[in-house]
């Protein structure tokens, strides 16, 4: 069941990363690399609708079908509608399925309501121009007839009165009569949100001013942070504008469907269930890895590079069960970073270390635009290419990133050195390969051996615990 490497996601031209032509070799091109399909590791993995023979038309059809069950009668021909997206939807499988869902939402609203003032607003994190890049790359500015815009957390805000006081959203998010919440179910930052109110999170993040986002990251801790997002969504201001939600439903294998509902909390329960079920096995399996050289090779900032639907930040914390709410502090969050002193040592006892199985990180291709020096402070790291090191040195969020790294002229040199230092030939590439892990042969064989045991443990022990902690009864769901 070891196969030839899967083609990784290609480099993307962006101000936040080196030019694609400077990415001279990918991890999948190394001679020792093979791939392991998610369905070979877990035969019971949910079937996907994309990628597949039907292409993007399957996404369009699924979006239309799900929106048939949504009530849009509140939207009148003379109203305005903001379709709200988030930047990281465009990092999933290259972004094409998310873009197609956004196009289809516009078409359905226009056809069913007669409304023509339909805008696209795409939120972002700390790379303030990233959403604009995606909008242009996928032609969404033209599709929305010049009414598509990226919004940043430093844009003009709007006060939102909530049950916990005044919080702040982004004015452009809420400057229409109605809003449609267009997101995805990818667990992504489970180290931050802990799969609690995952579907509600953007109201405290992508759609919020930076002051409110800081409350999420710094003040409450990872198990309680989404209380902020829930407070904003439940406010009269947002409830008077909320029309419905439409989600691209993801798994480590790809897109498993589209879901839509006028009731965000009902949709949230389905997102919670599927996230625990579909991602729980892959993340638990990665936690079984005893040693590995990790290669970052994906067009996103360091924590957000993907391998089989799991981001590197999750692997950095895979020595703990990130879904288990009895465990209060993941090895990596901004909240965790606050427990370290300037000397890099924990200020108190009980701070979990970064995953010790990660022996060396090779930064072959990953963006700046997100504070990532924490990783190089705690994990031996090799940066490939002088141009990439210079880009990171110029990044105001990563001015100390390369102080803790070595520089290699090319990927082959970095791998040879990493093997000698780490004492292992197990390699895991975070390169966005669709529905698979690109790994060295030794690690592929190891994962195939461990997967059946992990599958039984998640089904019989962990998944029931995770769902019970979140008040989810799995018998209520008849979904893929």
């Amino acid at each position: 069941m070891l196969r030839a490497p899967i083609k990784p996601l290609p480099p993307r031209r962006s101000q936040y990363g080196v030019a694609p032509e400077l990415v001279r070799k990918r991890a999948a091109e190394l001679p020792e690399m093979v791939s392991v399909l998610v369905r070979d590791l877990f035969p019971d993995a949910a079937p996907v609708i994309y990628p597949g023979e039907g292409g993007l038309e399957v996404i369009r059809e699924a979006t239309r079908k799900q929106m048939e069950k949504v009530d849009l009668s509140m939207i009148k021909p003379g109203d305005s509608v903001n379709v709200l997206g988030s930047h990281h939807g465009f990092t999933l499988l290259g972004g094409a399925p998310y873009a197609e869902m956004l196009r289809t939402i516009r078409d359905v609203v226009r056809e069913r309501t007669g409304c023509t003032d339909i805008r696209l607003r795409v939120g972002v994190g700390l790379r303030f121009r990233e959403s604009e890049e995606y909008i242009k790359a996928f032609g969404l500015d033209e599709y929305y007839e010049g009414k598509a815009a990226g919004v940043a957390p430093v844009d003009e805000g709007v006060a939102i009165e909530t049950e916990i006081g005044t919080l702040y959203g982004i004015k452009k998010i809420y400057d229409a009569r109605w809003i449609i919440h267009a997101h995805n179910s990818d667990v992504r930052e489970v180290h931050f949100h802990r799969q609690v109110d995952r579907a509600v999170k953007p109201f405290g993040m992508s759609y919020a001013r930076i002051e409110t986002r800081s409350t999420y990251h710094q003040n409450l801790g990872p198990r309680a942070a989404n209380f902020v997002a829930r407070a904003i969504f439940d406010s009269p201001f947002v409830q008077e504008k909320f029309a419905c939600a439409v989600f691209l439903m993801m798994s480590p294998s790809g897109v498993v469907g589209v879901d839509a509902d006028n009731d965000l909390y009902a949709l949230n329960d389905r997102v919670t269930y599927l996230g625990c079920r579909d991602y729980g096995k892959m993340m638990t399996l990665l936690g079984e890895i005893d040693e590995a050289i990790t290669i970052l090779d994906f067009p996103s900032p360091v924590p957000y590079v993907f391998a089989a639907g799991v981001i590197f930040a999750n692997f950095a914390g895979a020595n703990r069960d990130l879904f288990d709410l009895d465990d209060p502090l993941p090895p990596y969050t901004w909240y965790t970073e606050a427990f370290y002193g300037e000397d890099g040592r924990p200020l108190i006892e009980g701070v979990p270390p970064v995953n010790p199985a990660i022996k060396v990180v090779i930064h072959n291709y990953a963006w700046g635009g997100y504070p990532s020096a924490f990783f190089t402070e705690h994990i031996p790291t090799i940066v490939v290419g002088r141009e990439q090191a210079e880009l990171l040195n110029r990044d105001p969020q990563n001015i100390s990133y390369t102080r803790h790294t070595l520089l290699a002229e090319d990927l082959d040199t970095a791998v040879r050195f990493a093997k000698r230092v780490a004492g292992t030939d197990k390699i895991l590439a975070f390169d966005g390969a669709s529905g698979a892990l690109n790994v060295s042969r030794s690690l592929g064989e190891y994962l195939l051996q461990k997967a059946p045991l992990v599958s039984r443990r998640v089904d019989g022990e962990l998944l029931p615990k995770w769902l019970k902690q979140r008040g989810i009864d799995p018998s209520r769901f008849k979904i893929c």
Side-chain angles (χ1 to χ4, degrees):
M1 287 188 288
L2 296 179
R3 306 167 188 261
I6 300 293
K7 185 177 180 179
L9 198 71
R12 187 191 295 272
R13 193 168 297 278
S14 169
Q15 63 187 289
Y16 300 106
V18 295
E21 58 267 23
L22 296 176
V23 185
R24 297 181 176 93
K25 187 170 185 174
R26 309 300 300 277
E29 298 175 75
L30 294 168
E32 60 265 66
M33 298 297 279
V34 297
S35 69
V36 185
L37 299 183
V38 174
R39 68 171 182 264
D40 287 340
L41 293 166
F42 304 113
D44 61 347
V48 301
I49 65 170
Y50 183 93
E53 294 181 358
L56 292 175
E57 183 59 30
V58 175
I59 302 297
R60 175 168 285 271
E61 292 174 359
T63 304
R64 283 188 173 276
K65 182 177 180 180
Q66 284 297 310
M67 289 192 73
E68 288 176 0
K69 69 180 186 181
V70 171
D71 179 15
L72 297 177
S73 63
M74 74 287 290
I75 302 174
K76 307 304 179 186
D79 287 345
S80 56
V81 177
N82 281 354
V83 178
L84 308 182
S86 293
H87 66 290
H88 84 258
F90 295 101
T91 69
L92 304 174
L93 302 174
Y98 186 61
E100 191 65 19
M101 187 184 81
L102 294 175
R103 294 187 192 99
T104 309
I105 293 171
R106 175 192 175 276
D107 294 344
V108 170
V109 172
R110 189 164 188 157
E111 292 165 8
R112 287 178 51 186
T113 70
C115 176
T116 58
D117 188 5
I118 305 170
R119 306 91 166 265
L120 177 64
R121 302 285 190 257
V122 183
V124 76
L126 297 175
R127 295 162 305 288
F128 296 160
R129 295 298 178 87
E130 184 181 0
S131 290
E132 295 175 7
E133 293 181 351
Y134 294 134
I135 288 170
K136 292 179 180 178
F138 290 99
L140 293 170
D141 48 347
E142 296 179 3
Y143 205 87
Y144 274 78
E145 299 177 335
K147 297 179 180 180
V151 296
V154 294
D155 288 350
E156 183 179 359
V158 58
I160 301 175
E161 300 304 324
T162 77
E163 61 184 330
I164 60 173
T166 305
L167 297 171
Y168 293 89
I170 299 171
K171 187 175 182 179
K172 283 186 178 180
I173 290 287
Y174 297 105
D175 65 358
R177 174 62 187 90
W178 302 103
I179 58 174
I180 294 177
H181 177 34
H183 205 62
N184 66 82
S185 70
D186 170 41
V187 299
R188 188 170 160 96
E189 296 176 324
V190 70
H191 53 288
F192 276 141
H193 59 72
R194 305 300 295 277
Q195 201 64 5
V196 175
D197 284 347
R198 170 69 183 89
V200 190
K201 181 191 174 201
F203 287 90
M205 294 297 291
S206 290
Y207 311 156
R209 270 277 309 183
I210 199 163
E211 300 88 349
T212 294
R213 291 172 62 105
S214 296
T215 300
Y216 178 100
H217 279 304
Q218 306 287 5
N219 294 93
L220 288 173
R223 290 182 297 179
N226 273 337
F227 181 74
V228 174
R230 182 180 279 257
I232 291 174
F233 177 71
D234 286 345
S235 69
F237 176 80
V238 174
Q239 286 298 304
E240 289 172 1
K241 292 177 176 290
F242 181 75
C244 66
V246 185
F247 270 48
L248 192 70
M249 304 300 282
M250 301 299 301
S251 81
S253 298
V255 181
V256 298
V258 175
D259 200 351
D261 211 312
N262 294 104
D263 183 345
L264 181 57
Y265 288 119
L267 176 56
N268 182 66
D269 284 350
R270 299 192 290 273
V271 167
T272 301
Y273 170 66
L274 287 175
C276 291
R277 188 195 73 179
D278 293 344
Y279 287 88
K281 289 186 179 181
M282 182 57 66
M283 292 180 63
T284 303
L285 178 62
L286 294 183
E288 291 291 317
I289 295 176
D290 57 347
E291 57 182 12
I293 297 166
T294 301
I295 302 179
L296 313 181
D297 200 15
F298 183 91
S300 275
V302 169
Y304 298 123
V305 296
F306 277 97
V310 177
I311 61 173
F312 173 67
N314 296 155
F315 186 44
N319 51 316
R320 305 294 279 261
D321 182 353
L322 298 179
F323 287 102
D324 185 358
L325 297 181
D326 290 337
D327 195 339
L329 191 65
Y332 168 71
T333 66
W334 287 2
Y335 202 73
T336 310
E337 286 190 51
F339 286 96
Y340 285 88
E342 293 184 1
D343 60 359
R345 298 178 181 177
L347 297 172
I348 60 173
E349 293 184 3
V351 178
V354 172
N355 187 359
I358 306 174
K359 302 303 181 185
V360 177
V361 167
I362 298 175
H363 186 135
N364 187 54
Y365 172 54
W367 292 355
Y370 187 95
S372 303
F374 176 82
F375 298 103
T376 60
E377 291 171 2
H378 290 269
I379 307 170
T381 303
I382 305 168
V383 175
V384 176
R386 193 168 303 277
E387 301 94 342
Q388 189 155 226
E390 291 173 354
L391 181 139
L392 292 162
N393 288 335
R394 294 193 303 269
D395 181 0
Q397 298 184 63
N398 285 291
I399 55 176
S400 64
Y401 184 87
T402 61
R403 294 178 189 173
H404 312 282
T405 68
L406 295 176
L407 177 64
E409 290 301 318
D410 54 63
L411 178 59
D412 292 302
T413 301
V415 171
R416 284 195 299 270
F417 184 79
K419 287 180 177 179
R420 289 202 300 271
V421 171
T424 182
D425 63 355
K426 293 177 181 174
I427 299 174
L428 171 59
F430 282 78
D431 61 2
S434 177
L437 293 168
N438 280 334
V439 295
S440 61
R441 180 171 294 275
S442 57
L443 183 54
E445 293 170 347
Y446 179 89
L447 293 173
L448 286 168
Q449 179 185 7
K450 291 287 185 178
L453 299 175
V454 166
S455 184
R456 288 195 291 271
R457 183 178 176 223
V458 170
D459 286 340
E461 176 189 345
L462 297 179
L463 181 59
K465 177 181 182 179
W466 298 334
L467 297 177
K468 183 177 180 180
Q469 288 174 331
R470 292 159 178 82
I472 301 294
D473 178 5
S475 67
R476 293 194 292 118
F477 302 108
K478 292 182 179 180
I479 48 182
C480 63

